[in-house]
Each structure stands twice: as C-alpha cells, then as structure tokens.
C-alpha cells in the first residue's frame, strides 16, 4: 500500500510528488508512468530538442537519481490499466497497488489523422512524446519536403524548426487563419509574416484531403484540389484530454476529468491534475494545456492531500519560440472585444480587452509588456489603452495605479 499513487509521470505528476516531499510529506509515494524515461519537459520537443540544440538529459525535469533520493518509487515503462475504486487499488496488468490518495495526471493524447486518409503511412508524425520526436528526427534533412497539418503553436513551432534546418515547408490550416482558436487576427498576421520571411508556405482555409503513398507517404492532395510531393508529414491538429482510465472507473468527466475547486474528482479519494483535468472557473469549467497549469495544479493538489484545503486559482501564461521570436502570453483572451497594439518595432505586443477590462497580452520579444500585463491581469487590474498604445510610454507606472 502506498499512501499516494500518481498515474502519469509527466509535468504535473512530477511537480506533485516533488511538492509533497519538499513540504515534508513522509508517507510512501509512487509515481507510475508508461513512457520509458523519467519525467521530462515537453516544450523543447517542438523547439530546441527538435532543432538538435538540446541534449536528452537536459529535457529531464530532475536528475534520474532524485526519485530514489527523495524516496519516490518511480516506475517508468509501466501502464496503469484500471482502477478498482471499491478496493482502492490501481491495476497494472496482473499487479495491484493500494492507495489512500490516487492522483490522475494522465495528460492528453494528440489527435491523429484517420487511417482512411493515409494517417497510417510511414513518415506521418505527431509531436507529443520524446519517442515521437526521436522517430521524426532522421527525416529532418536539408531540402526534404515536409507538410505540416495544423497552424496552432505546435505546427508553427515545427515549421520554424524545419525551415531553420533548410527543409521545404508547406503548412495547411483548415480554418480561415493560423492560431484562430487561440489568438487575435493581429497575432496570426504577425506569425504569418514571420514564417513567410523564412520561406514557409502557409496556406489558410485549406485542409488535407488525402495522403498518397505506398507504405510511406509520398504526396498529399489538399482540399483546394492541389497535389504536392511530400517526404514527411507532421500533424499538429490538437489534443484531447486522456480520460480513458477515469471514464472506465466511472468518474465524472466534462472536457477532461471533472474536479472540484480543490482538484478532487467525483470520488473523494481520487484527484486529477494537469492537461487531463477540468476545474470550475467563472461559473463554467476550464481545462488548460500548459506547463504552468500542470505545475501549479500539481502543487495545489499536493497541498490539499496534506490537508490544506486550497482552492486552485489559475494564473494562465504560456510561451512559444519560433525562429528568433519569443512569444509570451499572459491571461486568457476568451471573450475579448478589442485589441490594442503596442508597436515598438522589434518588440510588439497585442493587448486584449473586454470593455475596459484587460484580459490578456501577447508579447513578441517584449518581456516588459508581458511582465506588466501579467502582473495587472493576475491582480484583476486593467491598463489605460492610451498608455499601452504609446510605444514610447513607460508601462511600469501602470502597476502603481
Ligand atoms: C511539443 C509540445 C510543446 C509544448 N510547448 C509548450 C510551451 O511552449 N509552453 C507550455 O506552457 N506548454 C507547452 N506544451 C504543453 C505542456 O507540455 C503540457 O501542458 C504539459 O506537459 C502537461 O502536463 P501533464 O503532466 O498534464 O501531462 P503530460 O506531461 O503529457 O504527462 C502525462 C503522462 O502520463 C502518462 N500516462 C497516461 N496514461 C497513463 C497510464 N494509464 N499509465 C501510466 N502512465 C500514463 C503519459 O504517457 C504521459 O507521460 C507543449 C506540449 C508539447 C507536446
């Protein structure tokens, strides 16, 4: 019997077990993950690691030796296949392990292309795990033709790496514009122009109809009727929360494993954290797909397992690296009705408002705008649009108002 069993040795699970130990929790803790490696950070998978600029060990969240030293029983390469809620045990094939507290930190699964349109051909990749990226790395050859399906952050980051490696890159986005689901038109325009300068052929309002090839992908037919030769396909069409275990165990789900304000599922002995969990937020439910959310929720639930009864209040932020541009995003832009642009040349930021209320900031190579925006948003404050729009005006005084 372990007091705390965590299923999913990713960003959230790793944060939670470390927080338990840091805060003096001294009962048995087991962290179970089905990947063959210790917990690692995913963001570099579509950035520096894919580019070949980062060694494997630097991906690891902590040195491998940490887990034994902290008396965390880390079981890699181990898949939890079921939960016996009545017995309070997780099932791993023929083995069972009892728990007092079970934490589901199962993350999310990438959407794949259906086999019927060629999704099962060789050379078709998703970008979720280290194994995914290691499998596509040999195809990153100068001059090779890559088709990227999906113009969200993952697709755009993969496009940036491929272009930087001298590949011929076509990116198709079915929606009217890239980043449509997550950002304003101004941000889409900024990144479209950035990619165009690096030779990426972005086609918006165009979907993939069918991949062609015999065993390995060799071409693609697009929804505008055009056909192209292709050596490799990278699919970045979103993710779905991994709720399979929770659903099979009869836990409530709602765009993710439904948890209460403290992170508890519909079974009081089971918690959920990170990408897989949807939590109460402003009268509805929210599920975030980001490192900060995974860490903060992991920390919060670790505290609650120790009896602190904390409410999880997200302070959303995100980042993306493409070429020499660092995008930093503070807040959630949902519901905005206008954008204020602060254009300082190399440093540009777009500020999202609903009425007079500042909701979010997208800052490109502008850490100061990001920092000021984030502090204002976290404090529930706004910013005078006239000051924001004047790139010569100092933003810091906004923090004092
Ligand atoms: C390529 C890429 C780039 C990203 N870039 C950014 C970025 O720039 N900024 C940012 O904030 N976020 C980024 N993200 C998102 C961020 O990495 C995720 O939000 C974060 O990893 C979520 O953490 P998690 O612990 O919830 O899930 P994960 O890190 O996915 O971990 C879940 C783990 O659980 C395992 N698991 C699932 N089911 C079982 C089971 N039954 N038994 C055992 N193990 C199981 C999975 O295999 C996985 O290892 C990126 C993600 C990807 C893939």
């Amino acid at each position: 019997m372990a007091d705390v069993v965590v299923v999913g040795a990713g960003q959230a699970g790793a944060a939670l077990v470390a927080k338990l130990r840091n805060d003096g929790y001294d009962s048995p803790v087991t962290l179970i993950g089905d990947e063959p490696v210790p917990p690692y950070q995913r963001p570099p998978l579509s950035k520096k690691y894919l580019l070949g600029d980062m060694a494997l060990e630097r991906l690891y969240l902590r040195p491998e030796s940490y887990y034994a030293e902290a008396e965390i029983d880390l079981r890699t390469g181990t898949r939890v296949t079921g939960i016996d809620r009545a017995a309070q045990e997780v099932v791993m094939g023929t083995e069972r392990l009892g728990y007092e507290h079970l934490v589901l930190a199962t993350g999310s699964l990438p959407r794949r292309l259906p086999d019927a349109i060629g999704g099962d051909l060789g050379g078709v990749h998703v970008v979720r795990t280290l194994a995914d990226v290691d499998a596509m790395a040999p195809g990153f050859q100068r001059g090779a033709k890559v088709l990227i399906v999906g113009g969200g952050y993952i697709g755009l980051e993969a496009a940036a790496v491929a272009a930087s490696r001298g590949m011929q890159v076509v990116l198709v986005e079915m929606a009217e514009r890239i980043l449509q689901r997550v950002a304003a038109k101004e941000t889409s325009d900024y990144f479209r122009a950035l990619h165009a300068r690096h030779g990426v052929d972005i086609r918006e309002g165009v979907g993939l109809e069918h991949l062609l090839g015999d065993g390995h992908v060799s071409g693609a037919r697009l929804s505008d009727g055009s056909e192209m030769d292709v050596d490799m396909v990278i699919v970045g069409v979103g993710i779905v929360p991994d709720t399979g275990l929770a659903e099979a165990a009869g836990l409530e789900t709602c765009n993710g494993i439904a948890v209460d304000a403290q992170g508890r599922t519909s079974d009081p002995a089971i918690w959920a954290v990170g990408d897989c969990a949807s939590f109460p937020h402003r009268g509805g439910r929210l599920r975030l797909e980001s490192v900060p959310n995974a860490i903060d929720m992991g920390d919060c639930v670790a505290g609650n397992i120790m009896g602190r009864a904390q409410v999880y209040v997200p302070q959303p932020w995100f980042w993306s690296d493409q070429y020499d541009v660092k995008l930093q995003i503070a807040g959630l832009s949902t519901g905005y009705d206008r954008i204020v642009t602060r254009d300082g040349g190399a440093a540009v930021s777009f500020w999202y408002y609903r009425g007079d209320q500042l909701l979010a900031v997208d800052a490109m190579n502008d850490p100061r705008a990001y920092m000021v925006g984030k502090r204002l948003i976290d404090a529930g404050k706004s910013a005078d649009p006239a000051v924001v729009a004047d790139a010569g005006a100092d933003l810091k005084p906004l923090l004092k108002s």
Side-chain angles (χ1 to χ4, degrees):
M1 169 93 163
D3 277 25
V4 175
V5 173
V6 181
V7 183
Q11 190 88 50
L16 184 135
V17 295
K19 178 75 175 162
L20 283 174
R21 285 299 186 241
N22 284 345
D23 286 4
Y25 188 81
D26 58 7
S27 299
V29 172
T30 304
L31 177 62
I32 307 170
D34 58 359
E35 293 186 67
V37 284
Y40 60 92
Q41 33 172 343
R42 294 185 197 280
L45 294 182
S46 52
K47 308 178 181 76
K48 279 192 164 172
Y49 184 78
L50 187 58
L51 201 52
D53 273 359
M54 192 175 187
L56 173 65
E57 292 70 29
R58 286 203 43 224
L59 279 185
Y60 294 162
L61 291 167
R62 287 170 192 274
E64 269 189 278
S65 55
Y66 163 79
Y67 301 91
E69 282 159 19
E71 295 188 19
I72 293 163
D73 180 9
L74 171 64
R75 303 195 189 179
T76 54
T78 307
R79 186 158 181 79
V80 171
T81 49
I83 304 167
D84 183 340
R85 285 170 53 194
Q88 294 205 188
E89 290 173 343
V90 292
V91 183
M92 296 162 283
T94 53
E95 197 191 336
R96 285 175 167 251
L97 178 65
Y99 63 81
E100 183 112 5
H101 296 277
L102 174 63
V103 183
L104 299 178
T106 48
S108 38
L109 299 168
R111 289 206 179 92
R112 291 172 189 270
L113 297 180
D115 291 357
I117 66 162
D120 57 345
L121 289 169
V124 180
H125 301 277
V126 292
V127 199
R128 182 70 198 173
T129 65
L130 185 56
D132 293 335
V133 174
D134 286 345
M136 75 175 74
F140 270 62
Q141 302 292 339
R142 177 165 290 279
K145 298 184 181 71
V146 59
L147 171 66
I148 298 187
V149 184
Y153 288 118
I154 299 278
L156 290 171
E157 288 179 354
V161 171
S164 305
R165 297 276 298 270
M167 298 169 79
Q168 299 177 51
V169 190
V170 175
L171 182 150
V172 290
E173 168 53 63
M174 212 159 63
E176 213 169 88
R177 58 180 173 87
I178 55 170
L179 299 175
Q180 179 157 296
R181 194 177 61 87
V182 289
K185 185 179 167 304
E186 286 79 353
T187 300
S188 303
D189 293 346
Y190 179 98
F191 282 98
R192 184 187 310 105
L194 175 70
H195 281 274
R197 288 200 294 279
H198 286 85
V200 174
D201 177 358
I202 292 188
R203 305 185 191 174
E204 295 163 300
V206 176
L208 169 70
E209 209 166 274
H210 212 289
L211 294 177
L212 313 166
D214 185 9
H216 195 279
V217 68
S218 58
R221 188 178 309 130
L222 306 180
S223 62
D224 60 2
S226 62
E227 285 197 6
M228 56 185 288
D229 292 339
V230 165
D231 299 311
M232 176 197 249
V233 176
I234 298 177
V235 182
V237 293
I239 55 177
V240 289
D242 190 345
T243 55
L245 263 186
E247 280 173 46
L251 298 175
E252 273 172 32
T253 59
C254 175
N255 178 30
I257 304 169
V259 296
D260 67 12
Q262 295 183 17
R264 216 179 259 108
T265 70
S266 49
D267 178 334
I270 307 180
W271 311 75
V273 291
D275 276 19
C276 69
S278 83
F279 52 86
H281 185 70
R282 297 189 182 147
R285 287 201 157 269
L286 184 63
R287 192 177 61 76
L288 293 172
E289 300 164 358
S290 74
V291 164
N293 175 65
I295 295 174
D296 294 348
M297 215 176 169
D299 283 356
C300 178
V301 167
N304 290 341
I305 287 172
M306 295 178 75
R308 288 191 200 130
Q310 308 165 128
V311 165
Y312 178 55
V313 182
Q315 300 198 318
W317 62 277
F318 192 80
W319 76 95
S320 175
D321 298 328
Q322 296 170 45
Y323 311 103
D324 54 355
V325 173
K326 179 160 215 68
L327 163 67
Q328 292 170 290
I329 304 171
L332 291 175
S333 59
T334 321
Y336 72 94
D337 54 22
R338 70 178 163 138
I339 297 291
V340 175
T341 299
R342 180 177 176 85
D343 189 349
V348 178
S349 54
F350 302 118
W351 298 59
Y352 297 71
Y353 287 82
R354 183 173 51 225
D356 293 333
Q357 184 57 48
L358 176 65
L359 300 179
V361 178
D362 292 348
M364 276 71 69
N365 288 341
D366 196 344
R368 180 172 295 253
Y370 165 75
M371 186 272 291
V372 170
K374 180 157 181 12
R375 282 174 55 183
L376 290 169
I377 293 162
D378 289 350
K381 294 185 180 168
S382 198
D384 180 351
V387 177
V388 165
D390 177 359
D394 187 7
L395 289 174
K396 274 211 164 156
L398 290 172
L399 293 171
K400 299 204 180 87
S401 52

